[in-house]
Amino acid sequence: MNFEEYAAKPLLKAEGIVVPAGELVRSADEATAVAQKIGACVVKAQVPTGKRGKAGGIALAASPDEACSEAARILGMQIGEHTVEKVLVEAQVPIASELYAAVLNDPVTKSPLVLFSPEGGMDIEEIAENHPEKLMRLPVDIRHGFDPAEVAANLPELGDVNQADLVALLEKLYSVYAANDAELLEINPLVLTTNGDLIALDCKFTLDDSGVKRQEELAEHGTPDKTTELEARSHAVNLKYIELEGNVGVLANGAGVTMTTMDAISHYGGAPANFLEIGGEAYRLSKEALEIVLANPNVKSLMVNFCGAFARCDVMAEGVVNAWKELEPDIPVFFTIHGTGDKEAIALVREGLGLEPYEFMDDAVRAAVEAAQ
Amino acid sequence: MIVRGSETVIVQGITGRQGTFWAERMGEYGTKIIGGVNPKKAGTIHIGLPVWGSAVDAAAETQVDATVLFIPPLGVKAAALDAISAGIKKMVVMTEHVPVQDVMYFLAAAREANCQVIGPNTAGLVTVGESFVGFMPAFNPGIFKPGKVGVISRSGSLGTMVCLNLVQGGLGISTFIGIGGDPIIGTTTKDALVALDNDERTEAVAIVGEIGGGMEEEAAEYAKTMSKPIAAFIAGAASPPGKKMGHAGAIVMGNVGSYAGKKAALETAGVAVVPTPSGIPDVLKGLI
């Protein structure tokens, strides 16, 4: 779950990392009032995407009048697929140089990785490519936590940055990461001011989705993924549904089999209408799942692919057969069924719908693609 | 990591619904299930097996070679640390949605104690004809017919489908290693490939990968050194970038983890990459 700048910065501030004074507002009038309090300011669009600056969503304002006009311009603006509904109005900071700092979960070392570079203000990929010698990538043993001496020993050339101040800031950053089940916590840019202070000018925080259940209060401040109506409906019953552009509906169990069914549809010249898996404990929800797939009017045929391991094919098939009889959809459906409970499941489909499941997925998919055309 | 039929296994979380069901299936198949753990039911008997208060207690009483965790997400870290303290050297973690910082914690402890970990979010292991650990339909002979192909899969359901395809294509399975669908896991594709390379019953390997992460690319480097033939299927070619496709690990960010990158890395290593899983037996049949 991603947190926008306005929701991420308070986490830094609570740990003692300095962020510019400012407020989140939803109108030009409110922006004016904030600017009157803090003076020369920056008006920053708050949307869950990284391309705000390039899109014209960040502007300097020397006076309250300018803050008013810039806020009026930015509010309502379209950035990527998002409409700007709120802006952060923050005091301007006298910048001497821009730095980069982050802590993230690293699959290669299987540990938290502390990243720091005196070259900031650009993407980390760019820093890694253009200034690899200036990028510290230090894995931390999560059992022992942040070790200031080890970090100090691994820092690159710092220029005018005070080493003790920087190590203290990184330690705070690590604390915020550890306390909040972060997947990624990034300050970019971290700025060195002309007064020699370190200030977090921006902040990106991604909460580990598997950490949400022990961070419920925190998660309320995150930005939920933008969803379609059907996606929202599926999430409400704990189903993973993603709407796609095609016309062959997909109902399968397990993320792997579902993705593979989509791949096969695409390989045989069709286009999948959705991702929807009912694996894990969700395998009992096949009736709800079918209703959601069929609610998409683009669906012209349906491919049902069950490969039971943990999930039982008989339970899934029973749900689908019952729902099919109840909904009486006017489209053809194609089955392949194998694995735990397959014999009973095949019998249910035969008796309930008078259909014969295919032995091979490829054959069933080819038929489903043809039927959708 | 491979668990043989001679090795003893305990089930942490044996008294739960899933723990009970799969402990029975594993025992029926031939896995040497010797008991389980539930701190609240220490000293009782469940499905005819002893229940200990901790893995440490179990290991104090008897030899425990492996453990399998059927434990809710927020309890996994403590259960895994218990198993590591007990000196158990093989651990299979079934649970999905374990907080990643917890995973990194017990993986660090496991590494130090030389305990091999499979998962989290795995469907487990099958040593065909000997034992299985986890929740794979090992007992279904149409899927797990004995043979010479070792299978590595991030997904349980897709791994099952590939084993089925191999059997439909006239081949059989030696060992199935489900490594799990999480972004950070104990045994990577490469680790599993090394295990199958060293497994004398395995003469060929099927890699079942997914978009996201860099594990297939890393495995491709090792594949260059192998003489056993390898075929691979990578799921997710038709998945839109930037979206999590069910598995937490299956997400393409920028160019990292893309289908094209994985396919190219594997093909450079001489691995045949097929467009649908049914192509795997076609590739391997001529080579065994």
Side-chain angles (χ1 to χ4, degrees), chain A residues 278-316:
Chain A
I278 51 170
E281 290 284 355
Y283 76 90
R284 293 171 188 281
L285 294 173
S286 54
K287 178 168 178 277
E288 288 83 346
L290 183 66
E291 286 173 352
I292 288 164
V293 172
L294 295 175
N296 174 354
N298 296 333
V299 173
K300 296 288 180 284
S301 71
L302 177 66
M303 175 65 212
V304 180
N305 191 4
F306 290 154
C307 206
F310 174 82
R312 283 167 49 190
C313 290
D314 53 334
V315 178
M316 295 188 286

mmCIF file of all heavy atoms in Angstrom, chain A residues 278-316:
data_model
loop_
_atom_site.group_PDB
_atom_site.id
_atom_site.type_symbol
_atom_site.label_atom_id
_atom_site.label_comp_id
_atom_site.label_asym_id
_atom_site.label_seq_id
_atom_site.Cartn_x
_atom_site.Cartn_y
_atom_site.Cartn_z
ATOM 1 N N ILE A 278 -9.055 -17.851 -7.285
ATOM 2 C CA ILE A 278 -9.757 -18.225 -6.063
ATOM 3 C C ILE A 278 -8.924 -19.268 -5.328
ATOM 4 O O ILE A 278 -9.443 -20.230 -4.803
ATOM 5 C CB ILE A 278 -11.179 -18.736 -6.360
ATOM 6 C CG1 ILE A 278 -11.133 -19.824 -7.439
ATOM 7 C CG2 ILE A 278 -12.070 -17.603 -6.804
ATOM 8 C CD1 ILE A 278 -12.460 -20.537 -7.598
ATOM 9 N N GLY A 279 -7.610 -19.029 -5.307
ATOM 10 C CA GLY A 279 -6.731 -19.966 -4.614
ATOM 11 C C GLY A 279 -6.761 -19.747 -3.113
ATOM 12 O O GLY A 279 -7.550 -18.963 -2.603
ATOM 13 N N GLY A 280 -5.869 -20.454 -2.417
ATOM 14 C CA GLY A 280 -5.781 -20.334 -0.963
ATOM 15 C C GLY A 280 -7.136 -20.580 -0.325
ATOM 16 O O GLY A 280 -7.917 -21.404 -0.796
ATOM 17 N N GLU A 281 -7.437 -19.850 0.714
ATOM 18 C CA GLU A 281 -8.696 -20.052 1.439
ATOM 19 C C GLU A 281 -9.897 -19.560 0.637
ATOM 20 O O GLU A 281 -11.048 -19.825 0.981
ATOM 21 C CB GLU A 281 -8.644 -19.328 2.792
ATOM 22 C CG GLU A 281 -7.694 -19.959 3.804
ATOM 23 C CD GLU A 281 -8.266 -21.232 4.435
ATOM 24 O OE1 GLU A 281 -9.433 -21.568 4.166
ATOM 25 O OE2 GLU A 281 -7.510 -21.895 5.179
ATOM 26 N N ALA A 282 -9.635 -18.808 -0.453
ATOM 27 C CA ALA A 282 -10.735 -18.226 -1.233
ATOM 28 C C ALA A 282 -11.424 -19.249 -2.134
ATOM 29 O O ALA A 282 -12.390 -18.934 -2.799
ATOM 30 C CB ALA A 282 -10.219 -17.066 -2.083
ATOM 31 N N TYR A 283 -10.925 -20.501 -2.119
ATOM 32 C CA TYR A 283 -11.441 -21.443 -3.102
ATOM 33 C C TYR A 283 -12.916 -21.793 -2.885
ATOM 34 O O TYR A 283 -13.555 -22.341 -3.743
ATOM 35 C CB TYR A 283 -10.563 -22.701 -3.171
ATOM 36 C CG TYR A 283 -10.710 -23.688 -2.043
ATOM 37 C CD1 TYR A 283 -11.645 -24.726 -2.126
ATOM 38 C CD2 TYR A 283 -9.911 -23.612 -0.901
ATOM 39 C CE1 TYR A 283 -11.763 -25.639 -1.097
ATOM 40 C CE2 TYR A 283 -10.026 -24.526 0.123
ATOM 41 C CZ TYR A 283 -10.958 -25.537 0.021
ATOM 42 O OH TYR A 283 -11.082 -26.440 1.033
ATOM 43 N N ARG A 284 -13.427 -21.446 -1.724
ATOM 44 C CA ARG A 284 -14.851 -21.705 -1.475
ATOM 45 C C ARG A 284 -15.742 -20.617 -2.073
ATOM 46 O O ARG A 284 -16.958 -20.705 -2.013
ATOM 47 C CB ARG A 284 -15.107 -21.800 0.034
ATOM 48 C CG ARG A 284 -14.442 -23.009 0.646
ATOM 49 C CD ARG A 284 -14.491 -23.017 2.158
ATOM 50 N NE ARG A 284 -13.657 -24.107 2.661
ATOM 51 C CZ ARG A 284 -14.021 -25.385 2.692
ATOM 52 N NH1 ARG A 284 -15.215 -25.742 2.295
ATOM 53 N NH2 ARG A 284 -13.190 -26.304 3.121
ATOM 54 N N LEU A 285 -15.140 -19.574 -2.620
ATOM 55 C CA LEU A 285 -15.907 -18.411 -3.090
ATOM 56 C C LEU A 285 -16.182 -18.439 -4.597
ATOM 57 O O LEU A 285 -16.376 -17.398 -5.211
ATOM 58 C CB LEU A 285 -15.149 -17.121 -2.758
ATOM 59 C CG LEU A 285 -14.984 -16.799 -1.275
ATOM 60 C CD1 LEU A 285 -14.083 -15.597 -1.091
ATOM 61 C CD2 LEU A 285 -16.334 -16.558 -0.618
ATOM 62 N N SER A 286 -16.216 -19.615 -5.211
ATOM 63 C CA SER A 286 -16.313 -19.622 -6.668
ATOM 64 C C SER A 286 -17.633 -19.043 -7.175
ATOM 65 O O SER A 286 -17.684 -18.502 -8.261
ATOM 66 C CB SER A 286 -16.067 -21.018 -7.227
ATOM 67 O OG SER A 286 -16.923 -21.930 -6.634
ATOM 68 N N LYS A 287 -18.681 -19.110 -6.379
ATOM 69 C CA LYS A 287 -19.953 -18.524 -6.829
ATOM 70 C C LYS A 287 -19.837 -17.000 -6.914
ATOM 71 O O LYS A 287 -20.159 -16.398 -7.944
ATOM 72 C CB LYS A 287 -21.076 -18.906 -5.850
ATOM 73 C CG LYS A 287 -22.410 -18.304 -6.203
ATOM 74 C CD LYS A 287 -23.542 -18.927 -5.390
ATOM 75 C CE LYS A 287 -24.868 -18.297 -5.711
ATOM 76 N NZ LYS A 287 -25.110 -17.043 -4.979
ATOM 77 N N GLU A 288 -19.326 -16.390 -5.855
ATOM 78 C CA GLU A 288 -19.123 -14.936 -5.848
ATOM 79 C C GLU A 288 -18.193 -14.539 -6.998
ATOM 80 O O GLU A 288 -18.407 -13.533 -7.670
ATOM 81 C CB GLU A 288 -18.496 -14.491 -4.522
ATOM 82 C CG GLU A 288 -19.423 -14.552 -3.318
ATOM 83 C CD GLU A 288 -19.503 -15.941 -2.686
ATOM 84 O OE1 GLU A 288 -19.064 -16.922 -3.324
ATOM 85 O OE2 GLU A 288 -20.009 -16.047 -1.556
ATOM 86 N N ALA A 289 -17.157 -15.361 -7.195
ATOM 87 C CA ALA A 289 -16.179 -15.061 -8.235
ATOM 88 C C ALA A 289 -16.837 -15.069 -9.611
ATOM 89 O O ALA A 289 -16.622 -14.167 -10.420
ATOM 90 C CB ALA A 289 -15.043 -16.086 -8.186
ATOM 91 N N LEU A 290 -17.655 -16.067 -9.865
ATOM 92 C CA LEU A 290 -18.316 -16.176 -11.166
ATOM 93 C C LEU A 290 -19.215 -14.963 -11.413
ATOM 94 O O LEU A 290 -19.249 -14.407 -12.515
ATOM 95 C CB LEU A 290 -19.130 -17.471 -11.225
ATOM 96 C CG LEU A 290 -19.816 -17.725 -12.561
ATOM 97 C CD1 LEU A 290 -18.791 -17.968 -13.651
ATOM 98 C CD2 LEU A 290 -20.763 -18.909 -12.473
ATOM 99 N N GLU A 291 -19.938 -14.558 -10.387
ATOM 100 C CA GLU A 291 -20.824 -13.389 -10.538
ATOM 101 C C GLU A 291 -20.032 -12.158 -10.963
ATOM 102 O O GLU A 291 -20.473 -11.380 -11.800
ATOM 103 C CB GLU A 291 -21.557 -13.113 -9.219
ATOM 104 C CG GLU A 291 -22.660 -14.116 -8.958
ATOM 105 C CD GLU A 291 -23.284 -13.970 -7.577
ATOM 106 O OE1 GLU A 291 -22.765 -13.187 -6.751
ATOM 107 O OE2 GLU A 291 -24.283 -14.654 -7.326
ATOM 108 N N ILE A 292 -18.846 -12.000 -10.373
ATOM 109 C CA ILE A 292 -18.024 -10.826 -10.696
ATOM 110 C C ILE A 292 -17.493 -10.898 -12.122
ATOM 111 O O ILE A 292 -17.566 -9.932 -12.874
ATOM 112 C CB ILE A 292 -16.887 -10.678 -9.657
ATOM 113 C CG1 ILE A 292 -17.490 -10.200 -8.331
ATOM 114 C CG2 ILE A 292 -15.817 -9.704 -10.137
ATOM 115 C CD1 ILE A 292 -16.595 -10.374 -7.139
ATOM 116 N N VAL A 293 -16.995 -12.057 -12.528
ATOM 117 C CA VAL A 293 -16.485 -12.211 -13.901
ATOM 118 C C VAL A 293 -17.588 -11.895 -14.906
ATOM 119 O O VAL A 293 -17.366 -11.191 -15.892
ATOM 120 C CB VAL A 293 -15.963 -13.641 -14.143
ATOM 121 C CG1 VAL A 293 -15.618 -13.836 -15.616
ATOM 122 C CG2 VAL A 293 -14.723 -13.909 -13.303
ATOM 123 N N LEU A 294 -18.785 -12.418 -14.661
ATOM 124 C CA LEU A 294 -19.874 -12.279 -15.630
ATOM 125 C C LEU A 294 -20.492 -10.883 -15.619
ATOM 126 O O LEU A 294 -21.186 -10.498 -16.553
ATOM 127 C CB LEU A 294 -20.950 -13.331 -15.359
ATOM 128 C CG LEU A 294 -20.484 -14.777 -15.582
ATOM 129 C CD1 LEU A 294 -21.572 -15.750 -15.170
ATOM 130 C CD2 LEU A 294 -20.066 -15.019 -17.017
ATOM 131 N N ALA A 295 -20.231 -10.128 -14.559
ATOM 132 C CA ALA A 295 -20.779 -8.774 -14.492
ATOM 133 C C ALA A 295 -20.060 -7.835 -15.461
ATOM 134 O O ALA A 295 -20.543 -6.744 -15.750
ATOM 135 C CB ALA A 295 -20.673 -8.234 -13.064
ATOM 136 N N ASN A 296 -18.909 -8.256 -15.974
ATOM 137 C CA ASN A 296 -18.203 -7.450 -16.985
ATOM 138 C C ASN A 296 -18.862 -7.713 -18.349
ATOM 139 O O ASN A 296 -18.802 -8.819 -18.867
ATOM 140 C CB ASN A 296 -16.720 -7.859 -16.994
ATOM 141 C CG ASN A 296 -15.938 -7.182 -18.104
ATOM 142 O OD1 ASN A 296 -16.494 -6.491 -18.953
ATOM 143 N ND2 ASN A 296 -14.637 -7.401 -18.095
ATOM 144 N N PRO A 297 -19.495 -6.687 -18.943
ATOM 145 C CA PRO A 297 -20.269 -6.900 -20.177
ATOM 146 C C PRO A 297 -19.404 -7.285 -21.382
ATOM 147 O O PRO A 297 -19.937 -7.751 -22.383
ATOM 148 C CB PRO A 297 -20.957 -5.551 -20.407
ATOM 149 C CG PRO A 297 -20.129 -4.553 -19.661
ATOM 150 C CD PRO A 297 -19.533 -5.288 -18.494
ATOM 151 N N ASN A 298 -18.076 -7.085 -21.287
ATOM 152 C CA ASN A 298 -17.211 -7.445 -22.419
ATOM 153 C C ASN A 298 -17.004 -8.944 -22.560
ATOM 154 O O ASN A 298 -16.542 -9.414 -23.593
ATOM 155 C CB ASN A 298 -15.833 -6.792 -22.255
ATOM 156 C CG ASN A 298 -15.919 -5.281 -22.301
ATOM 157 O OD1 ASN A 298 -16.835 -4.734 -22.913
ATOM 158 N ND2 ASN A 298 -14.999 -4.611 -21.635
ATOM 159 N N VAL A 299 -17.314 -9.697 -21.509
ATOM 160 C CA VAL A 299 -17.008 -11.128 -21.513
ATOM 161 C C VAL A 299 -17.916 -11.872 -22.491
ATOM 162 O O VAL A 299 -19.132 -11.845 -22.370
ATOM 163 C CB VAL A 299 -17.146 -11.718 -20.085
ATOM 164 C CG1 VAL A 299 -16.996 -13.232 -20.107
ATOM 165 C CG2 VAL A 299 -16.107 -11.095 -19.167
ATOM 166 N N LYS A 300 -17.286 -12.518 -23.502
ATOM 167 C CA LYS A 300 -18.049 -13.224 -24.534
ATOM 168 C C LYS A 300 -17.939 -14.737 -24.405
ATOM 169 O O LYS A 300 -18.703 -15.486 -25.008
ATOM 170 C CB LYS A 300 -17.558 -12.791 -25.928
ATOM 171 C CG LYS A 300 -17.811 -11.311 -26.228
ATOM 172 C CD LYS A 300 -19.293 -11.022 -26.457
ATOM 173 C CE LYS A 300 -19.560 -9.559 -26.747
ATOM 174 N NZ LYS A 300 -19.507 -8.702 -25.529
ATOM 175 N N SER A 301 -16.937 -15.211 -23.702
ATOM 176 C CA SER A 301 -16.839 -16.633 -23.381
ATOM 177 C C SER A 301 -16.075 -16.757 -22.073
ATOM 178 O O SER A 301 -15.415 -15.799 -21.648
ATOM 179 C CB SER A 301 -16.137 -17.421 -24.491
ATOM 180 O OG SER A 301 -14.760 -17.112 -24.518
ATOM 181 N N LEU A 302 -16.180 -17.925 -21.437
ATOM 182 C CA LEU A 302 -15.543 -18.075 -20.129
ATOM 183 C C LEU A 302 -14.676 -19.326 -20.117
ATOM 184 O O LEU A 302 -15.097 -20.402 -20.542
ATOM 185 C CB LEU A 302 -16.613 -18.177 -19.032
ATOM 186 C CG LEU A 302 -16.076 -18.400 -17.611
ATOM 187 C CD1 LEU A 302 -15.273 -17.202 -17.129
ATOM 188 C CD2 LEU A 302 -17.222 -18.687 -16.648
ATOM 189 N N MET A 303 -13.459 -19.151 -19.629
ATOM 190 C CA MET A 303 -12.528 -20.262 -19.467
ATOM 191 C C MET A 303 -12.374 -20.549 -17.977
ATOM 192 O O MET A 303 -11.951 -19.683 -17.212
ATOM 193 C CB MET A 303 -11.188 -19.851 -20.097
ATOM 194 C CG MET A 303 -10.073 -20.849 -19.918
ATOM 195 S SD MET A 303 -10.376 -22.416 -20.764
ATOM 196 C CE MET A 303 -9.533 -23.525 -19.627
ATOM 197 N N VAL A 304 -12.784 -21.755 -17.569
ATOM 198 C CA VAL A 304 -12.633 -22.157 -16.170
ATOM 199 C C VAL A 304 -11.517 -23.191 -16.088
ATOM 200 O O VAL A 304 -11.598 -24.244 -16.723
ATOM 201 C CB VAL A 304 -13.942 -22.764 -15.616
ATOM 202 C CG1 VAL A 304 -13.753 -23.178 -14.156
ATOM 203 C CG2 VAL A 304 -15.093 -21.769 -15.732
ATOM 204 N N ASN A 305 -10.466 -22.867 -15.346
ATOM 205 C CA ASN A 305 -9.309 -23.757 -15.263
ATOM 206 C C ASN A 305 -8.998 -24.049 -13.795
ATOM 207 O O ASN A 305 -8.482 -23.202 -13.082
ATOM 208 C CB ASN A 305 -8.105 -23.093 -15.950
ATOM 209 C CG ASN A 305 -6.950 -24.049 -16.146
ATOM 210 O OD1 ASN A 305 -7.058 -25.239 -15.842
ATOM 211 N ND2 ASN A 305 -5.841 -23.536 -16.647
ATOM 212 N N PHE A 306 -9.339 -25.263 -13.361
ATOM 213 C CA PHE A 306 -9.069 -25.643 -11.975
ATOM 214 C C PHE A 306 -7.956 -26.676 -11.923
ATOM 215 O O PHE A 306 -7.990 -27.681 -12.633
ATOM 216 C CB PHE A 306 -10.327 -26.239 -11.327
ATOM 217 C CG PHE A 306 -11.417 -25.232 -11.080
ATOM 218 C CD1 PHE A 306 -12.747 -25.639 -11.032
ATOM 219 C CD2 PHE A 306 -11.120 -23.889 -10.887
ATOM 220 C CE1 PHE A 306 -13.761 -24.723 -10.803
ATOM 221 C CE2 PHE A 306 -12.138 -22.962 -10.650
ATOM 222 C CZ PHE A 306 -13.456 -23.380 -10.605
ATOM 223 N N CYS A 307 -6.984 -26.403 -11.092
ATOM 224 C CA CYS A 307 -5.929 -27.375 -10.863
ATOM 225 C C CYS A 307 -5.753 -27.453 -9.354
ATOM 226 O O CYS A 307 -5.036 -26.663 -8.745
ATOM 227 C CB CYS A 307 -4.649 -26.930 -11.562
ATOM 228 S SG CYS A 307 -3.627 -28.321 -11.958
ATOM 229 N N GLY A 308 -6.457 -28.378 -8.747
ATOM 230 C CA GLY A 308 -6.546 -28.413 -7.295
ATOM 231 C C GLY A 308 -5.307 -28.988 -6.645
ATOM 232 O O GLY A 308 -4.836 -30.055 -7.006
ATOM 233 N N ALA A 309 -4.767 -28.247 -5.693
ATOM 234 C CA ALA A 309 -3.742 -28.794 -4.809
ATOM 235 C C ALA A 309 -4.357 -28.649 -3.421
ATOM 236 O O ALA A 309 -5.062 -29.533 -2.940
ATOM 237 C CB ALA A 309 -2.439 -28.022 -4.950
ATOM 238 N N PHE A 310 -4.150 -27.497 -2.800
ATOM 239 C CA PHE A 310 -4.819 -27.149 -1.544
ATOM 240 C C PHE A 310 -6.312 -26.950 -1.805
ATOM 241 O O PHE A 310 -7.177 -27.439 -1.084
ATOM 242 C CB PHE A 310 -4.179 -25.857 -1.031
ATOM 243 C CG PHE A 310 -4.819 -25.269 0.181
ATOM 244 C CD1 PHE A 310 -4.508 -25.749 1.439
ATOM 245 C CD2 PHE A 310 -5.716 -24.218 0.059
ATOM 246 C CE1 PHE A 310 -5.096 -25.195 2.562
ATOM 247 C CE2 PHE A 310 -6.299 -23.655 1.187
ATOM 248 C CZ PHE A 310 -5.985 -24.150 2.428
ATOM 249 N N ALA A 311 -6.613 -26.228 -2.884
ATOM 250 C CA ALA A 311 -8.012 -25.970 -3.245
ATOM 251 C C ALA A 311 -8.641 -27.255 -3.785
ATOM 252 O O ALA A 311 -8.019 -27.978 -4.544
ATOM 253 C CB ALA A 311 -8.068 -24.868 -4.288
ATOM 254 N N ARG A 312 -9.865 -27.511 -3.392
ATOM 255 C CA ARG A 312 -10.551 -28.732 -3.847
ATOM 256 C C ARG A 312 -11.415 -28.412 -5.059
ATOM 257 O O ARG A 312 -12.308 -27.576 -5.013
ATOM 258 C CB ARG A 312 -11.384 -29.302 -2.709
ATOM 259 C CG ARG A 312 -10.551 -30.048 -1.675
ATOM 260 C CD ARG A 312 -11.316 -30.327 -0.421
ATOM 261 N NE ARG A 312 -12.640 -30.923 -0.695
ATOM 262 C CZ ARG A 312 -13.574 -31.077 0.242
ATOM 263 N NH1 ARG A 312 -13.338 -30.678 1.472
ATOM 264 N NH2 ARG A 312 -14.726 -31.607 -0.063
ATOM 265 N N CYS A 313 -11.165 -29.158 -6.146
ATOM 266 C CA CYS A 313 -11.921 -28.940 -7.380
ATOM 267 C C CYS A 313 -13.419 -29.157 -7.174
ATOM 268 O O CYS A 313 -14.231 -28.455 -7.769
ATOM 269 C CB CYS A 313 -11.431 -29.897 -8.464
ATOM 270 S SG CYS A 313 -9.780 -29.509 -9.050
ATOM 271 N N ASP A 314 -13.779 -30.140 -6.358
ATOM 272 C CA ASP A 314 -15.212 -30.429 -6.184
ATOM 273 C C ASP A 314 -15.938 -29.244 -5.537
ATOM 274 O O ASP A 314 -17.044 -28.881 -5.945
ATOM 275 C CB ASP A 314 -15.431 -31.731 -5.397
ATOM 276 C CG ASP A 314 -14.685 -31.751 -4.070
ATOM 277 O OD1 ASP A 314 -13.649 -31.058 -3.962
ATOM 278 O OD2 ASP A 314 -15.124 -32.441 -3.140
ATOM 279 N N VAL A 315 -15.296 -28.622 -4.555
ATOM 280 C CA VAL A 315 -15.930 -27.470 -3.888
ATOM 281 C C VAL A 315 -16.055 -26.297 -4.866
ATOM 282 O O VAL A 315 -17.098 -25.644 -4.953
ATOM 283 C CB VAL A 315 -15.112 -27.038 -2.642
ATOM 284 C CG1 VAL A 315 -15.734 -25.814 -1.993
ATOM 285 C CG2 VAL A 315 -15.029 -28.184 -1.643
ATOM 286 N N MET A 316 -14.984 -26.069 -5.638
ATOM 287 C CA MET A 316 -15.017 -24.956 -6.599
ATOM 288 C C MET A 316 -16.063 -25.210 -7.686
ATOM 289 O O MET A 316 -16.827 -24.319 -8.061
ATOM 290 C CB MET A 316 -13.635 -24.779 -7.243
ATOM 291 C CG MET A 316 -12.576 -24.343 -6.237
ATOM 292 S SD MET A 316 -10.997 -23.917 -7.005
ATOM 293 C CE MET A 316 -10.352 -25.534 -7.430
#
